[in-house]
Amino acid sequence: MLATRDVKLALLPALVVLAVFAAALGSLFRWSFLEFVPGSLQTGGLTLANLRAVLAPQYLATIRDTVVLSALTTLLTLVAAYPVAYALARTPSRRVRSTILVLTLAPFFTGAIVRTYAWILVLGNTVITWPVPMLFTERGVLVGLVHFSMPTMILILAAALSHIDPVYERAATSLGASPARVFWRVTLPLSMPGIVSGGLIVFAWTLSAFPTPELLGGGKVKMIANVVKDLGALALTLALLAAVGRLTAGRAS
Amino acid sequence: MTTVVVELRGCTRDYGAVRAVDALDLSVHESEFLALLGPSGCGKTTTLNLIAGFVPPTAGRVFLDGDDVTDRPPHLRGLGMVFQSYALFPHLSVRENVAFGLRERRVPAREIERRVGDALELVRLDRAGRQRPGELSGGMQQRVALARALVYRPRVLLLDEPLAALDKKLREGMRDELRAIQRSVGITTIFVTHDQAEALGLSDRIAVMNRGRIEQLGAPREIYEHPATRFVADFIGASTVLRGRAVANDRVAVAGVTLVVTSGALSSGADVELAIRPERVQLVPGGGDNVVEARVEGLVYQGAQTELTARLRDDQRVLALVTEPAPAPLEVGQTVRLHLPADAFMVLA
Ligand SMILES: Nc1ncnc2c1ncn2[C@@H]1O[C@H](COP(=O)(O)OP(=O)(O)O)[C@@H](O)[C@H]1O
Ligand SMILES: [Mg+2]
């Protein structure tokens, strides 16, 4: 056992990161209550106007779409990842296990952007022809998001499943449960911690997903992060214009 | 002739190069309490798993009530099993754990209620129904596991070292309780253990296992008094085995001494093995019939007694338990006289 003092010491780096992160978020939070001065990065006095602006119908729709898309992504990722995670956690064969692991981790090595461009090719009817439009639709974005979330979900679920002692499944079997019933009454409930943490992580990061909806949505599917980027880019452009304008004006005078 | 409930015919189970169970034949009778006794790794759990259907035999057949069930999946065999770790479902309450088998059998809810209540009463846990298994002591968990396995009246009860995880005191109490419950329910029971005292105290018959085979099968008294092999003798506590040659039908020459052996007729001239329990060997001051000289090689003081290891003149090892206080101080290297009573010998096959 570690002494309490050692534990505190070990937590120090994490606390530093946390403090920096909290400071950044805090200043952003403060800014959200400050008046926006068009054409400048300067702010005015305290106001609730920004908050009111976000509650405008077009933004509310984006928020709703984002939540629905994230929930769907979480659900589909869970369903798709569970069997893979089960196989990964339970196969007695080393070769099967490392094959699954390599296939699971492969997307991590390609990076988000390259992977998304690959999906543009696949969804854009270049490789296969889809019966319904995929690229630049919510469907296409969903596919991309699920794919993006799969590796992490598989790893989290596999960790949870490998912590379940198979003796519980044997016990259920000895009590007369068929394999399907064993899964439903024992394996699934005992893997709940993994389902919850995997689901939360995927849901949370899909809420703030950016490159996937940006590229696969082609401007037609907007999630919160895309709208934030659009607004941020707009504001920066204005600030830039203002700065450039002042410079030129100064020269001229 | 009693009914045979479980039968293994020539069952073998290999794990890679390891032969866990080796051409095993075994019949278990109606209402019998049979112990599979043997050291760790001798194949007891595998034998139980063959019966339960968790592992298929590499060769051989398994019968239940005369039906060949070798290919029947475990959930359709209708057996009850108590696991060494109890394997109580941590996400279900005690009641739900016990109700599990009944729900799988689609028993009506009202009847489940009643039977779970009865089962919990049988194991004296009727008040712990709402608790989670994790909140119970080891002994209570053990009883829940037993109730869970008995509640749907299985044909056979399989117990894999059910007492091994309990501390000594609790173990003895549970042993008696287990036996009482088994008697009152009258269920055919197969019990795995590596503890000879447990097997002797509980069973109608004991199968002593070694390396995937049954070395001897018989009533506890028979096993205890007439071990068939050196392995069984040693495992059952007769840890001295002397090799000798029969010189008459009741005399054996061992280490230059002729010993009188009254237990069993010998054929003169044959090589024989004699087993004797250390508690039957006595330290004596003078010579006499069946007294041998031996050099003390080791002394382990155990409080009420001292375990003495000695070598005969031909280097064969004899163990003796000397009651404390010893008649004379003992020292390693000293020569002592040991009396081996004529009726204490067990002649091994
Ligand atoms: N699932 C398994 N995989 C590989 N070897 C096993 C497995 N189960 C048992 N064995 C081997 O089979 C032998 C018998 O094991 P087991 O039946 O568990 O013995 P016991 O219950 O008497 O201790 C041991 O050598 C053990 O290592
Ligand atoms: Mg075992």
Side-chain angles (χ1 to χ4, degrees), chain B residues 81-159:
Chain B
M81 190 151 180
V82 173
F83 296 80
Q84 183 169 349
S85 59
Y86 315 140
L88 298 177
F89 305 122
H91 60 298
L92 300 179
S93 72
V94 166
R95 282 195 86 87
E96 289 166 330
N97 262 281
V98 177
F100 199 101
L102 295 172
R103 280 185 61 182
E104 290 309 315
R105 285 166 178 75
R106 301 180 182 281
V107 174
R110 299 244 332 253
E111 201 187 331
I112 290 184
E113 184 79 2
R114 187 180 56 77
R115 284 169 69 177
V116 168
D118 290 350
L120 286 176
E121 206 167 307
L122 180 72
V123 297
R124 298 187 291 109
L125 274 177
D126 26 338
R127 294 212 246 136
R130 287 171 180 280
Q131 285 174 279
R132 289 287 166 105
E135 301 164 20
L136 305 181
S137 70
M140 288 163 94
Q141 292 186 22
Q142 156 81 69
R143 298 211 292 266
V144 176
L146 196 58
R148 182 177 73 174
L150 285 173
V151 70
Y152 52 89
R153 301 187 196 113
R155 188 69 181 103
V156 180
L157 181 62
L158 305 174
L159 305 161

Side-chain angles (χ1 to χ4, degrees), chain A residues 6 14 29 44 63 82 93 119 161 166 171 183 188 192 201 208 247:
Chain A
D6 296 338
F29 183 75
I63 292 172
Y82 206 105
S93 150
W119 272 116
L161 283 165
F183 177 76
L188 191 63
M192 217 25 115
I201 288 176
S208 59
L247 255 181

Side-chain angles (χ1 to χ4, degrees), chain B residues 63-225:
Chain B
F63 296 84
L64 273 180
D65 283 321
D67 297 331
D68 186 335
V69 297
T70 316
D71 301 317
R72 192 184 292 174
H75 70 282
L76 298 177
R77 293 198 184 184
L79 308 179
M81 190 151 180
V82 173
F83 296 80
Q84 183 169 349
S85 59
Y86 315 140
L88 298 177
F89 305 122
H91 60 298
L92 300 179
S93 72
V94 166
R95 282 195 86 87
E96 289 166 330
N97 262 281
V98 177
F100 199 101
L102 295 172
R103 280 185 61 182
E104 290 309 315
R105 285 166 178 75
R106 301 180 182 281
V107 174
R110 299 244 332 253
E111 201 187 331
I112 290 184
E113 184 79 2
R114 187 180 56 77
R115 284 169 69 177
V116 168
D118 290 350
L120 286 176
E121 206 167 307
L122 180 72
V123 297
R124 298 187 291 109
L125 274 177
D126 26 338
R127 294 212 246 136
R130 287 171 180 280
Q131 285 174 279
R132 289 287 166 105
E135 301 164 20
L136 305 181
S137 70
M140 288 163 94
Q141 292 186 22
Q142 156 81 69
R143 298 211 292 266
V144 176
L146 196 58
R148 182 177 73 174
L150 285 173
V151 70
Y152 52 89
R153 301 187 196 113
R155 188 69 181 103
V156 180
L157 181 62
L158 305 174
L159 305 161
D160 192 358
E161 312 223 12
L163 306 176
L166 303 176
D167 56 57
K168 192 169 182 292
K169 193 119 192 191
L170 204 53
R171 192 156 64 220
E172 284 161 7
M174 262 320 288
R175 189 174 69 194
D176 301 340
E177 199 167 335
L178 185 61
R179 184 60 175 150
I181 290 170
Q182 191 268 341
R183 283 247 167 80
S184 75
V185 180
I187 186 173
T188 307
T189 303
I190 303 174
F191 173 87
V192 161
T193 181
H194 64 262
D195 180 334
Q196 54 126 339
E198 234 168 68
L200 292 169
L202 277 168
S203 332
D204 297 315
R205 285 195 305 160
I206 299 175
V208 184
M209 288 186 68
N210 181 29
R211 296 165 177 225
R213 292 176 158 277
I214 293 178
E215 291 254 339
Q216 190 177 1
L217 178 65
R221 186 171 291 276
E222 190 184 326
I223 300 268
Y224 193 79
E225 290 175 1

Side-chain angles (χ1 to χ4, degrees), chain B residues 230-299:
Chain B
R230 187 182 188 117
F231 176 83
V232 176
D234 190 30
F235 201 77
I236 216 83
S239 27
T240 299
V241 177
L242 298 175
R243 264 178 239 279
R245 174 162 302 222
V247 290
N249 68 355
D250 63 349
R251 301 231 168 197
V252 178
V254 177
V257 183
T258 301
L259 299 171
V260 182
V261 177
T262 53
S263 46
L266 307 165
S267 50
S268 187
D271 287 331
V272 290
E273 287 189 320
L274 303 172
I276 186 165
R277 291 176 200 289
E279 61 268 27
R280 295 295 307 269
V281 178
Q282 292 149 351
L283 203 58
V284 288
D289 274 352
N290 279 27
V291 170
V292 293
E293 285 195 349
R295 197 172 42 78
V296 177
E297 191 183 64
L299 293 164

